[in-house]
Amino acid sequence: MKRIRMWLRELSLTQQLLTIVFLFIVIFAGFVFVFLSPSIDRFSETEMYRILHNSQTSIIAYMEDNPGTFPGYGSNPDVTHYLYNPNTNKFTSSSGTKADPLLEEKIRQLAETDIAGTLDEVIELPVEGSTAYNENLFSITQLINGSYLVSVMTNSYRVQFQQSLVNGVVMLNLLFVSALFVFLMLWVGTLIIPLAQIKNYVTKLKNDENPGTLNIRRNDEIGEVAEALVEMSDELSRQNREKEEMIQNISHDLKTPIATIKSYGEAIKDGIYPYETLEKSVDVIIEHANRLEKKVHSLIILNKMGYLLDDCEEGETLPMADIIDKTLLSLKVIRPEILFVRELDESVRFHGEEEPWRIVVENLIDNALRYAKTFIRITLKDGELCVINDGSKIDEELAAKLFHPYEKGSDGRFGLGLSIVYRVVTTYGYRVSAENLPEGVCFRIVREGGRRERSRRSRSSSDRKKKKA
């Protein structure tokens, strides 16, 4: 079965269609020979006996209207009638021909059994001019005067009837299969054409060519894929533009401190102090070195978080309050005038490792310090972490894209820190968003529903194990 699936995957849609039609024909042929043929045989046999009974009815009616006579014909030319008188042991034929000896002997035997009503039988009789035998159907009915009316149908008529019936059924199904094949070909054509357009579109995207317009107006899954590709192309184009702009800005940001460090170092080497004294000049070098280190560190962290995997133990085991306190110790000295408000539930645990979450908290608080006017409030409760500052409100259109890679903030700076936050948070099964509050701006991290349910089950399972222990 596995090999068959692999073989089907290598076929084109047209080849798959032809395979399906071929299998359908094979299955239909098997159905005709295995199931339909016996049914047709039974139906034809029943129909033949019905014809014999009708013929006998017409003969009996004629004999009742004309006593002492036997008609020389029947209602069906393929049916031969015989009148057998057991008293005289004589056979009279409607066609004037003599009955076959095998048939006469069979009728005599049946007559001795005292037949009640009509009896249907099958007898093998020799084919005229041949040594072969064919089955013949006959019906025998006892008349009022004690004679027997025997009606025999030749096998040729039965075979002809069966062939006509089979041919009709087969022809009807062939017409159905042909119509189905044409319909499926047209349907596959409606799939192949847009798929070819999508393939050409993707190929141009891969080769960095202008893909043009992908004009596929469909409401099915192919239309959805086409729309998704167009959206992806637009998003990639936007990200490429933003990435190029970011690289230019990062290059400029790195160039400035490097140039300053180089020029100050050369000046000091020549015995010149660009900023009044040696100590102040060295402080400038250290300041620009710190700026350079921070930018490089952000780029390294952003790249590192791109390979972050959630291979931690299931459930929430990381104490977030401790991580927040450690982060505040190192960051709140940056702007001593800012009031930090802690509203932390010490029992709250998050899922993940300490180092990535510490980077998340550092970036959120560092971002808040950049815009805060008087205070920063940090709240922590079950499944939720909020960092709020009283800075300027965020534009609603920007808030929806703030965590995208290479997205610029309201001050024109690129949000590498928020990109790192987004990657860590989503990896560990949480969701981050930015929203405007009456008092300022809130960056909120919440636990996804699936993660919450799994964590609750994990804690419940742990509690049960502890109780059993």
Side-chain angles (χ1 to χ4, degrees):
M1 185 61 69
K2 183 178 180 181
R3 291 183 178 179
I4 294 176
R5 288 199 301 267
M6 293 178 63
W7 175 70
L8 287 175
R9 290 173 183 172
E10 296 177 356
L11 300 179
S12 64
L13 284 176
T14 303
Q15 291 171 333
Q16 292 181 30
L17 172 62
L18 294 175
T19 302
I20 291 172
V21 172
F22 174 75
L23 290 176
F24 180 83
I25 293 174
V26 170
I27 293 172
F28 171 72
F31 170 77
V32 169
F33 287 108
V34 176
F35 298 101
L36 193 59
S37 292
S39 299
I40 290 178
D41 287 340
R42 290 191 296 270
F43 174 78
S44 63
E45 183 176 327
T46 303
E47 185 66 17
M48 295 304 101
Y49 281 124
R50 187 186 66 81
I51 294 174
L52 289 175
H53 297 166
N54 291 338
S55 297
Q56 283 195 341
T57 301
S58 63
I59 293 294
I60 292 171
Y62 178 84
M63 293 175 64
E64 288 177 352
D65 294 336
N66 302 276
T69 62
F70 185 60
Y73 60 89
S75 60
N76 191 317
D78 294 293
V79 178
T80 303
H81 301 279
Y82 300 95
L83 186 64
Y84 171 62
N85 189 337
N87 296 323
T88 61
N89 195 26
K90 181 181 178 181
F91 284 87
T92 304
S93 173
S94 62
S95 61
T97 59
K98 190 176 185 313
D100 188 275
L102 292 176
L103 177 62
E104 292 182 356
E105 182 62 27
K106 182 71 173 178
I107 293 172
R108 290 189 184 97
Q109 293 175 0
L110 293 174
E112 293 176 357
T113 62
D114 193 17
I115 298 171
T118 300
L119 179 65
D120 297 325
E121 287 288 338
V122 178
I123 186 171
E124 288 190 351
L125 299 177
V127 179
E128 187 176 354
S130 174
T131 58
Y133 284 78
N134 277 334
E135 286 186 349
N136 289 260
L137 306 179
F138 72 92
S139 296
I140 180 171
T141 303
Q142 186 177 23
L143 304 178
I144 298 175
N145 60 7
S147 300
Y148 292 90
L149 177 62
V150 181
S151 301
V152 182
M153 177 176 288
T154 60
N155 192 61
S156 59
Y157 180 74
R158 180 186 178 188
V159 171
Q160 183 181 358
F161 179 81
Q162 287 180 336
Q163 289 179 346
S164 300
L165 189 60
V166 170
N167 291 338
V169 173
V170 172
M171 185 59 65
L172 181 63
N173 281 273
L174 285 176
L175 290 174
F176 172 76
V177 171
S178 301
L180 179 64
F181 177 74
V182 172
F183 172 77
L184 289 176
M185 285 295 293
L186 294 174
W187 178 68
V188 169
T190 62
L191 297 179
I192 292 176
I193 294 174
L195 287 176
Q197 292 177 330
I198 290 175
K199 179 182 177 182
N200 184 52
Y201 188 84
V202 173
T203 301
K204 289 184 177 179
L205 281 178
K206 181 181 69 174
N207 297 330
D208 290 332
E209 301 177 7
N210 182 13
T213 303
L214 185 60
N215 189 16
I216 297 178
R217 297 182 179 179
R218 298 172 66 112
N219 296 324
D220 56 7
E221 288 79 0
I222 293 180
E224 293 176 359
V225 170
E227 291 178 3
L229 283 174
V230 172
E231 292 176 1
M232 182 192 72
S233 176
D234 294 340
E235 179 65 17
L236 288 175
S237 298
R238 186 195 68 80
Q239 288 191 13
N240 286 334
R241 290 194 302 269
E242 296 290 351
K243 191 183 298 185
E244 291 175 0
E245 187 177 349
M246 184 206 71
I247 292 174
Q248 293 175 0
N249 281 272
I250 289 177
S251 300
H252 180 269
D253 288 348
L254 295 179
K255 181 179 179 181
T256 300
I258 290 174
T260 301
I261 292 172
K262 182 179 179 181
S263 61
Y264 269 57
E266 290 175 349
I268 292 174
K269 181 179 179 181
D270 294 335
I272 302 172
Y273 307 136
Y275 195 54
E276 298 179 358
T277 65
L278 174 61
E279 183 178 357
K280 290 184 178 180
S281 298
V282 172
D283 287 341
V284 171
I285 293 176
I286 294 174
E287 177 188 355
H288 282 79
N290 289 334
R291 287 180 55 199
L292 186 60
E293 181 185 25
K294 186 175 181 180
K295 293 180 184 297
V296 172
H297 179 71
S298 296
L299 289 172
I300 293 174
I301 292 297
L302 180 63
N303 182 67
K304 178 181 177 181
M305 293 306 158
Y307 300 95
L308 181 66
L309 297 175
D310 183 6
D311 53 3
C312 305
E313 181 183 353
E314 183 68 23
E316 285 88 14
T317 58
L318 188 66
M320 283 301 294
D322 294 345
I323 294 177
I324 294 171
D325 289 337
K326 291 177 184 178
T327 306
L328 287 177
L329 285 176
S330 60
L331 291 181
K332 65 182 181 180
V333 296
I334 296 177
R335 293 185 64 185
E337 73 278 9
I338 298 297
L339 174 65
F340 283 86
V341 181
R342 295 172 65 259
E343 298 177 359
L344 309 180
D345 183 346
E346 302 292 338
S347 64
V348 171
R349 300 289 188 271
F350 270 33
H351 174 75
E353 296 182 348
E354 178 176 347
E355 183 60 25
W357 275 116
R358 183 163 182 172
I359 293 173
V360 168
V361 176
E362 286 177 353
N363 284 330
L364 289 179
I365 295 178
D366 182 67
N367 183 77
L369 283 170
R370 190 183 306 164
Y371 300 103
K373 297 177 181 178
T374 60
F375 76 89
I376 295 175
R377 185 168 71 251
I378 305 170
T379 64
L380 177 65
K381 55 186 179 180
D382 184 30
E384 182 178 284
L385 168 64
C386 294
V387 178
I388 304 169
N389 70 83
D390 61 345
S392 303
K393 302 291 180 66
I394 301 175
D395 184 78
E396 294 296 335
E397 182 178 352
L398 179 61
K401 304 183 296 182
L402 200 58
F403 298 95
H404 289 185
Y406 320 117
E407 192 70 39
K408 282 194 298 187
S410 57
D411 57 355
R413 298 175 63 180
F414 285 86
L416 291 178
L418 295 182
S419 298
I420 295 171
V421 169
Y422 178 81
R423 290 186 181 181
V424 174
V425 166
T426 53
T427 298
Y428 287 140
Y430 292 75
R431 184 177 68 253
V432 61
S433 61
E435 56 187 90
N436 292 316
L437 302 178
E439 56 188 318
V441 176
C442 172
F443 285 84
R444 188 186 310 275
I445 296 175
V446 295
R447 183 171 49 198
E448 295 283 6
R451 173 74 67 182
R452 179 178 302 177
E453 294 301 322
R454 290 196 298 270
S455 301
R456 286 178 178 174
R457 289 196 297 268
S458 177
R459 287 199 297 271
S460 299
S461 177
S462 300
D463 292 342
R464 287 194 298 270
K465 290 179 180 179
K466 289 179 181 179
K467 289 179 181 179
K468 290 181 179 180

